[in-house]
Amino acid sequence: MTTVTTRTVEYPADGLTMIGHLALPAGVDRRPAVLLGPEGTGLSGVEPTRSPSWGT
């Protein structure tokens, strides 16, 4: 199984600062990542706990 690092990130969207959850596999070379952005109601507790498995 691949080691995945997760962190909260801020990014601009429509003039606002949004907060998302980023999951990155270990390594220094280019690899895919998963960025979870908020829905209309925002991120719940479910997305951050699932995203490490999505990044593998």
Side-chain angles (χ1 to χ4, degrees):
M1 180 175 240
T2 304
T3 301
V4 176
T5 301
T6 59
R7 66 176 184 234
T8 301
V9 294
E10 294 183 357
Y11 59 95
D14 296 328
L16 301 171
T17 299
M18 306 302 283
I19 297 175
H21 189 78
L22 180 65
L24 297 164
V28 295
D29 53 336
R30 293 181 64 163
R31 296 173 184 231
V34 175
L35 175 62
L36 301 172
E39 295 185 29
T41 58
L43 289 173
S44 70
V46 174
E47 295 88 353
T49 60
R50 287 188 160 172
S51 63
S53 64
W54 296 343
T56 57

